[in-house]
Amino acid sequence: MKLGSSPNSPQAGGSADVPQKGIVTILDVEHPSAQNADGSFRSEAIVAHFIAHSEAIVWLQFGPGGMLLLTADKRGHDFNLFRINAHPVGSSLITKT
């Protein structure tokens, strides 16, 4: 899992890695071809990439089964619960519950 990934991520078609507030990128680090030689992650390793908050995320926790993700912003006023659904072609659909 990686907090603050860039809108220029491989998923978005770019390669820069400039931190952005409120963005969550979930990576499958055990994917057979997850990393490039330089240590960066390939787009095939991205399970999900989405905007969780408009401000910085200071806390997140996966549920016991790994299919739910709870996030909180830096003010502690906004909490979001996301369901991570596996997609048949490899990417994920994210639904806010």
Side-chain angles (χ1 to χ4, degrees), residues 63-88:
M67 299 304 289
L68 292 176
L69 177 66
L70 180 65
T71 63
D73 72 355
K74 72 177 184 176
R75 294 181 298 146
H77 295 144
D78 294 325
F79 295 86
N80 293 322
L81 181 63
F82 297 93
R83 181 179 304 141
I84 316 278
N85 295 318
H87 192 276

Side-chain angles (χ1 to χ4, degrees), residues 21 53-59 71-78:
K21 294 179 181 179
H53 295 273
S54 59
E55 297 198 23
I57 299 169
V58 296
W59 187 79
T71 63
D73 72 355
K74 72 177 184 176
R75 294 181 298 146
H77 295 144
D78 294 325

Side-chain angles (χ1 to χ4, degrees), residues 9-77:
S9 71
Q11 187 76 1
S15 62
D17 193 23
V18 179
Q20 299 293 317
K21 294 179 181 179
I23 296 176
V24 172
T25 301
I26 301 171
L27 301 170
D28 178 0
V29 295
E30 294 183 1
H31 188 279
S33 59
Q35 280 188 297
N36 293 312
D38 65 358
S40 64
F41 287 93
R42 295 183 180 183
S43 61
E44 295 87 12
I46 297 173
V47 174
H49 180 78
F50 57 96
I51 299 171
H53 295 273
S54 59
E55 297 198 23
I57 299 169
V58 296
W59 187 79
L60 54 87
Q61 174 91 30
F62 279 100
M67 299 304 289
L68 292 176
L69 177 66
L70 180 65
T71 63
D73 72 355
K74 72 177 184 176
R75 294 181 298 146
H77 295 144

